Amino acid sequence: MNKLFSTPQTLSHPRYVSHRGFQPMAPANSLPSFEYAGYLRQWAIETDVHFTRDGVAVCCHNDTVDATFDGTGAIREMDWAELSRLRMNQGNRLDCLRDEQKRMPLFSEYLSICRHYGSVPFIELKTGDVERVMALVRQAGFADDEIVISAVSLERMQIARRVSEDVFIHRIFATEEELPILAELGNAGLSWNIKDVRDCTPDKITRPHEMGLKVCLRAGDTLENVRRMLELGCDYIPSNCMHGVL
């Protein structure tokens, strides 16, 4: 069994993946949102990683800064010195944040928070440079089997497996046709693009399990949804707001 899943998941202790940090308390993908997720002992903290024009790894969901910062432009076309001057202007409890807490987080800061609190780094690739991301993770003191690399792109999953045999890979919104490919890659999981957990049939969980894959659904943001996901046999629970025990 992968060491990430060595501790059993139960109704009283779900494996929550704090989506872009713990958003009820701070803007998504902000340093405080990561800190809150860690403080709440979330099993994993999810973020998105990009590289700036001068090669600095940063955490932001979108390819551009327009939607959440007081600036405009593509991250890959901006230097870190320019990005670091921007401030978040969207998200929860902005008025409670100090000025420095509103800037875009460095990927290294995110990893440091995960390390400090013992949460699993759950890293969505927004870059094709998987090898460079893995190098940064290793520099931060994580072993390959202590993290999750996720992506919408199946090709990036395949690259991640070539880079490391031990890293757990997670395919976002997999298709039925991809299950054999993911099973062949091994040490892998997936999420289904099912908006309502009530629409998930048991075979969506049992079939991947039979192939040695882990499974989750879209955000478990209510007690009812989380309980249903656990009853179905989901292996981890992405959430925008849940924490603690049921």
Side-chain angles (χ1 to χ4, degrees):
M1 176 184 290
N2 185 293
K3 67 185 297 184
L4 296 178
F5 305 97
S6 58
T7 302
Q9 177 175 239
T10 65
L11 282 171
S12 59
H13 291 88
R15 291 192 192 101
Y16 284 124
V17 180
S18 219
H19 187 228
R20 306 179 204 167
F22 192 66
Q23 296 185 49
M25 296 299 291
N29 272 328
S30 67
L31 287 171
S33 73
F34 299 150
E35 287 278 2
Y36 277 115
Y39 179 77
L40 292 168
R41 301 298 179 186
Q42 301 289 71
W43 175 71
I45 305 174
E46 190 266 356
T47 195
D48 313 82
V49 62
H50 301 258
F51 284 104
T52 65
R53 181 169 55 193
D54 53 345
V56 177
V58 295
C59 301
C60 186
H61 178 68
N62 296 329
D63 294 334
T64 67
V65 301
D66 302 51
T68 50
F69 289 87
D70 58 356
T72 184
I75 293 171
R76 66 180 179 276
E77 296 174 359
M78 305 170 77
D79 291 335
W80 168 241
E82 182 180 1
L83 275 175
S84 66
R85 292 192 291 268
L86 301 181
R87 294 296 180 263
M88 292 182 175
N89 57 12
Q90 299 292 325
N92 291 329
R93 303 179 78 241
L94 269 172
D95 293 343
C96 299
L97 272 56
R98 300 188 305 274
D99 180 71
E100 177 67 9
Q101 292 176 314
K102 297 178 184 179
R103 68 164 171 80
M104 188 177 294
L106 293 166
F107 184 53
S108 59
E109 293 172 319
Y110 156 79
L111 291 172
S112 178
I113 290 169
C114 291
R115 169 62 71 197
H116 178 75
Y117 289 104
S119 293
V120 173
F122 201 109
I123 303 158
E124 181 175 347
L125 297 170
K126 294 298 179 70
T127 169
D129 199 340
V130 183
E131 192 163 358
R132 186 154 49 145
V133 171
M134 289 296 300
L136 292 173
V137 169
R138 291 162 179 163
Q139 289 172 19
F142 287 94
D144 291 6
D145 61 358
E146 294 178 316
I147 69 164
V148 177
I149 292 291
S150 73
V152 173
S153 163
L154 179 61
E155 181 183 4
R156 288 177 182 173
M157 297 289 86
Q158 294 167 323
I159 295 171
R161 178 56 69 237
R162 290 198 294 270
V163 172
S164 171
E165 294 182 357
D166 296 325
V167 67
F168 185 83
I169 56 176
H170 171 82
R171 170 72 165 98
I172 301 170
F173 299 161
T175 65
E176 293 280 354
E177 294 74 22
E178 291 172 348
L179 292 183
I181 300 172
L182 291 169
E184 179 67 23
L185 290 173
N187 197 21
L190 61 112
S191 60
W192 294 118
N193 189 11
I194 299 174
K195 294 182 179 180
D196 190 332
V197 64
R198 292 171 297 186
D199 294 331
C200 182
T201 55
D203 65 288
K204 285 288 191 180
I205 309 299
T206 57
R207 184 176 176 224
H209 279 173
E210 290 168 357
M211 302 174 76
L213 298 167
K214 304 294 185 185
V215 195
C216 73
L217 300 175
R218 295 185 68 170
D221 288 343
T222 66
L223 284 173
E224 179 184 358
N225 283 354
V226 172
R227 288 193 176 111
R228 174 61 176 158
M229 289 176 182
L230 292 172
E231 289 168 359
L232 283 166
C234 291
D235 298 287
Y236 38 99
I237 313 291
S239 182
N240 295 297
C241 60
M242 299 297 292
H243 72 93
V245 300
L246 299 183

